[in-house]
Amino acid sequence: MTGPARHQLFSYGTLQFREVQLARFGRLLEGTPDALPGHRMTYIAITDPDVIAASGTDRHPLVVASSDANEAVEGTVFSITDEELASADDYEVDDYARTRVVLRSGTKAWAYLEAPATPG
C-alpha cells in the first residue's frame, strides 16, 4: 500500500514561518535548504486579512525572473501532501502562480512565483 502523494514545494517566504505552517498545515514542516537559480526577490503588499493574520505582515516576498543567470533565491524545500498543497494554493493570493521549477540541487518542485499579468 502506498501513502499519500507527496509534492516538493520550494518556499522562499512566509510558508517557512512556524506560525503559517501551523495555521495552514496543522504541523511544522521539515525542509531542506535549496535555491532557485535565475531569479531574484522583490516584495509586494498583501491586502488579504487572513494571510496577514497568519504571517503577521502585509509585506510578502515575491520571486521574479532575473536577467542575471547567476542570481538565485535561497529558500527551503518541503515534502507535502495533496491536501497541504491545496492549502498552500488557498493561502497564496492572486499575485502568485504555482509554477514547476528546477532548483539548484536538481530537485523538481512547485514554487509560487509572480503571476502573469492579465490584460485589461
Side-chain angles (χ1 to χ4, degrees):
M1 180 183 261
T2 61
R6 303 302 287 183
H7 302 275
Q8 301 307 305
L9 177 65
F10 177 71
S11 175
Y12 54 86
T14 60
L15 284 174
Q16 296 179 94
F17 293 1
R18 178 183 200 284
E19 298 79 15
V20 173
Q21 290 178 12
L22 290 173
R24 294 310 314 174
F25 311 123
R27 70 182 182 102
L28 293 177
L29 304 177
E30 292 183 28
T32 305
D34 212 327
L36 179 59
H39 289 77
R40 65 180 177 81
M41 194 158 4
T42 186
Y43 288 87
I44 60 171
I46 300 294
T47 58
D48 184 308
D50 292 332
V51 173
I52 294 169
S55 69
T57 181
D58 68 348
R59 187 172 137 87
H60 285 216
L62 176 67
V63 165
V64 297
S66 173
S67 58
D68 181 352
N70 293 319
E71 269 192 291
V73 174
E74 302 292 327
T76 306
V77 180
F78 299 109
S79 180
I80 61 173
T81 65
D82 287 338
E83 293 78 18
E84 290 168 335
L85 185 60
S87 182
D89 284 346
D90 186 53
Y91 172 75
E92 298 297 351
V93 297
D94 291 341
D95 296 297
Y96 298 89
R98 180 165 39 103
T99 307
R100 201 76 161 136
V101 297
V102 178
L103 302 174
R104 183 181 288 151
S105 66
T107 298
K108 293 178 184 169
W110 292 112
Y112 294 96
L113 306 182
E114 180 181 37
T118 53

